[in-house]
Amino acid sequence: MKKVQWKKLGAASILTPIILLTACGNEDSAEGTDDETNGDSGEVNYGEEMDYKITGIEPGAGVVAGSEQAVEDYDSLEGWEVVTSSSGAMATALGQAIDNEEPIIVTGWSPHWKFQEYDLKYLEDPEGVFGEAETINTMVRQGLEEEAPEAYTILDQFQWEPEDIESVMLEVSNGTDVEEASATWIDENSDKVAEWTEGTETVDNTEIELAYVEWDTEIASTNVVGQVLEAQGYDVTLTPLDNAVMWSAVAEGQADGMVAAWLPNTHASQFESYGDDVVDLGENLEGAKVGLVVPSYMEVDSIDDLTSKQ
Ligand code: PBE
């Protein structure tokens, strides 16, 4: 997977140093004379340096849809484009940009290990396109309560904190296999896990299928819950899908559940389409957020501070 990302980024990484050199030259001379600038207020024109591109993730993600909406709603983003790829490719591009102190805007979300790994900030969103705080909710198929009551109860009781999921994500981003990182977290947090399994009995190999999308958050949460279900005796399958397909799979009963519903804003349209056909088991995590994220060294604080394409 990594190889594909590098290939995709190949062309960009050949071009970027040239752009960066130009930008640095301007910045340096601006310090002394203040007359040689490429933005209208004497500041660096980040839009130009980034070729008016926001580094996105999977096309089906709510944060990508939100960013496309932001491009429509904000004058400062006129002429900008959200380039979709994958969460992994976004993280690679972010890391590369930071290594080179280049500007970059990514479609970001938290909890996410990138905030522990790098100095980052959300751009203020005065139009409220990305909404306020989000929760991550658990959705299961109709009939699960009757057909697999122990799994239903565990999924219902599954609830953790941002620092829990972040510790799993950080380990995975540092190269630990997600199964091992999940097992470690479960070992170290047996009290929490005991609350999830409270009142349930073990089962004998009943099949359970959890759908998810390969976002870092959901890779971590789905693997942890999957292992807890497995320890309870379930025969667990984790199925990676596109966002909309994940929702429809649970709504149509092809998958038993998912722990990846970002509400009320990020997956509002999916919830509207499928909400009536799934069972909402409520929040499994509070304090989530999505938006446009930049390295802290970039001198912009708000989406309004960006410059439209002339
Ligand atoms: N995310 C992570 C998802 C929800 C979880 C923010 C990338 C999305 O944008 O749909």
Side-chain angles (χ1 to χ4, degrees), residues 24-36:
C24 285
N26 283 343
E27 219 177 359
D28 287 345
S29 54
E31 262 172 38
T33 61
D34 220 23
D35 59 1
E36 205 182 325

PDB file of all heavy atoms in Angstrom, residues 24-36:
ATOM      1  N   CYS A  24      10.686  30.552  -0.368  1.00  0.00           N
ATOM      2  CA  CYS A  24      11.634  30.939   0.662  1.00  0.00           C
ATOM      3  C   CYS A  24      12.342  32.224   0.280  1.00  0.00           C
ATOM      4  O   CYS A  24      12.535  33.108   1.100  1.00  0.00           O
ATOM      5  CB  CYS A  24      12.699  29.855   0.875  1.00  0.00           C
ATOM      6  SG  CYS A  24      12.036  28.464   1.771  1.00  0.00           S
ATOM      7  N   GLY A  25      12.700  32.304  -0.996  1.00  0.00           N
ATOM      8  CA  GLY A  25      13.374  33.513  -1.474  1.00  0.00           C
ATOM      9  C   GLY A  25      12.522  34.729  -1.184  1.00  0.00           C
ATOM     10  O   GLY A  25      13.008  35.720  -0.644  1.00  0.00           O
ATOM     11  N   ASN A  26      11.276  34.635  -1.503  1.00  0.00           N
ATOM     12  CA  ASN A  26      10.377  35.770  -1.285  1.00  0.00           C
ATOM     13  C   ASN A  26      10.261  36.114   0.187  1.00  0.00           C
ATOM     14  O   ASN A  26      10.281  37.280   0.553  1.00  0.00           O
ATOM     15  CB  ASN A  26       8.989  35.432  -1.828  1.00  0.00           C
ATOM     16  CG  ASN A  26       8.961  35.556  -3.336  1.00  0.00           C
ATOM     17  OD1 ASN A  26       9.848  36.184  -3.909  1.00  0.00           O
ATOM     18  ND2 ASN A  26       7.967  34.955  -3.955  1.00  0.00           N
ATOM     19  N   GLU A  27      10.172  35.055   0.981  1.00  0.00           N
ATOM     20  CA  GLU A  27       9.986  35.276   2.408  1.00  0.00           C
ATOM     21  C   GLU A  27      11.201  35.985   2.992  1.00  0.00           C
ATOM     22  O   GLU A  27      11.073  36.943   3.740  1.00  0.00           O
ATOM     23  CB  GLU A  27       9.806  33.918   3.091  1.00  0.00           C
ATOM     24  CG  GLU A  27       8.771  33.959   4.166  1.00  0.00           C
ATOM     25  CD  GLU A  27       8.573  32.568   4.767  1.00  0.00           C
ATOM     26  OE1 GLU A  27       9.247  31.619   4.302  1.00  0.00           O
ATOM     27  OE2 GLU A  27       7.773  32.461   5.667  1.00  0.00           O
ATOM     28  N   ASP A  28      12.389  35.499   2.581  1.00  0.00           N
ATOM     29  CA  ASP A  28      13.625  36.093   3.108  1.00  0.00           C
ATOM     30  C   ASP A  28      13.733  37.559   2.763  1.00  0.00           C
ATOM     31  O   ASP A  28      13.985  38.403   3.607  1.00  0.00           O
ATOM     32  CB  ASP A  28      14.851  35.357   2.538  1.00  0.00           C
ATOM     33  CG  ASP A  28      14.971  33.991   3.203  1.00  0.00           C
ATOM     34  OD1 ASP A  28      14.309  33.799   4.257  1.00  0.00           O
ATOM     35  OD2 ASP A  28      15.692  33.153   2.657  1.00  0.00           O
ATOM     36  N   SER A  29      13.495  37.866   1.498  1.00  0.00           N
ATOM     37  CA  SER A  29      13.672  39.251   1.101  1.00  0.00           C
ATOM     38  C   SER A  29      12.570  40.126   1.700  1.00  0.00           C
ATOM     39  O   SER A  29      12.786  41.283   1.999  1.00  0.00           O
ATOM     40  CB  SER A  29      13.682  39.383  -0.424  1.00  0.00           C
ATOM     41  OG  SER A  29      12.519  38.791  -0.941  1.00  0.00           O
ATOM     42  N   ALA A  30      11.410  39.512   1.929  1.00  0.00           N
ATOM     43  CA  ALA A  30      10.315  40.283   2.515  1.00  0.00           C
ATOM     44  C   ALA A  30      10.698  40.747   3.921  1.00  0.00           C
ATOM     45  O   ALA A  30      10.310  41.814   4.356  1.00  0.00           O
ATOM     46  CB  ALA A  30       9.051  39.452   2.566  1.00  0.00           C
ATOM     47  N   GLU A  31      11.488  39.899   4.603  1.00  0.00           N
ATOM     48  CA  GLU A  31      11.891  40.266   5.960  1.00  0.00           C
ATOM     49  C   GLU A  31      12.642  41.591   5.975  1.00  0.00           C
ATOM     50  O   GLU A  31      12.422  42.441   6.818  1.00  0.00           O
ATOM     51  CB  GLU A  31      12.834  39.193   6.526  1.00  0.00           C
ATOM     52  CG  GLU A  31      12.108  38.212   7.409  1.00  0.00           C
ATOM     53  CD  GLU A  31      12.986  37.051   7.804  1.00  0.00           C
ATOM     54  OE1 GLU A  31      14.192  37.264   8.061  1.00  0.00           O
ATOM     55  OE2 GLU A  31      12.462  35.928   7.828  1.00  0.00           O
ATOM     56  N   GLY A  32      13.532  41.744   5.000  1.00  0.00           N
ATOM     57  CA  GLY A  32      14.346  42.946   4.986  1.00  0.00           C
ATOM     58  C   GLY A  32      13.633  44.142   4.363  1.00  0.00           C
ATOM     59  O   GLY A  32      13.593  45.222   4.942  1.00  0.00           O
ATOM     60  N   THR A  33      13.033  43.914   3.208  1.00  0.00           N
ATOM     61  CA  THR A  33      12.563  45.075   2.454  1.00  0.00           C
ATOM     62  C   THR A  33      11.042  45.207   2.420  1.00  0.00           C
ATOM     63  O   THR A  33      10.531  46.273   2.140  1.00  0.00           O
ATOM     64  CB  THR A  33      13.027  44.957   0.990  1.00  0.00           C
ATOM     65  OG1 THR A  33      12.432  43.758   0.463  1.00  0.00           O
ATOM     66  CG2 THR A  33      14.534  44.864   0.883  1.00  0.00           C
ATOM     67  N   ASP A  34      10.379  44.114   2.682  1.00  0.00           N
ATOM     68  CA  ASP A  34       8.922  44.144   2.734  1.00  0.00           C
ATOM     69  C   ASP A  34       8.265  44.465   1.385  1.00  0.00           C
ATOM     70  O   ASP A  34       7.081  44.722   1.322  1.00  0.00           O
ATOM     71  CB  ASP A  34       8.458  45.183   3.768  1.00  0.00           C
ATOM     72  CG  ASP A  34       7.271  44.666   4.548  1.00  0.00           C
ATOM     73  OD1 ASP A  34       7.108  43.421   4.603  1.00  0.00           O
ATOM     74  OD2 ASP A  34       6.512  45.466   5.074  1.00  0.00           O
ATOM     75  N   ASP A  35       9.040  44.434   0.319  1.00  0.00           N
ATOM     76  CA  ASP A  35       8.421  44.821  -0.954  1.00  0.00           C
ATOM     77  C   ASP A  35       8.290  43.673  -1.943  1.00  0.00           C
ATOM     78  O   ASP A  35       7.580  43.771  -2.918  1.00  0.00           O
ATOM     79  CB  ASP A  35       9.185  45.983  -1.599  1.00  0.00           C
ATOM     80  CG  ASP A  35      10.632  45.635  -1.876  1.00  0.00           C
ATOM     81  OD1 ASP A  35      11.031  44.474  -1.582  1.00  0.00           O
ATOM     82  OD2 ASP A  35      11.369  46.483  -2.363  1.00  0.00           O
ATOM     83  N   GLU A  36       9.000  42.588  -1.681  1.00  0.00           N
ATOM     84  CA  GLU A  36       8.944  41.498  -2.660  1.00  0.00           C
ATOM     85  C   GLU A  36       8.107  40.353  -2.123  1.00  0.00           C
ATOM     86  O   GLU A  36       8.602  39.426  -1.498  1.00  0.00           O
ATOM     87  CB  GLU A  36      10.360  41.004  -2.960  1.00  0.00           C
ATOM     88  CG  GLU A  36      10.453  40.348  -4.320  1.00  0.00           C
ATOM     89  CD  GLU A  36      11.850  39.839  -4.569  1.00  0.00           C
ATOM     90  OE1 GLU A  36      12.808  40.493  -4.116  1.00  0.00           O
ATOM     91  OE2 GLU A  36      11.968  38.790  -5.198  1.00  0.00           O
TER      92      GLU A  36
END
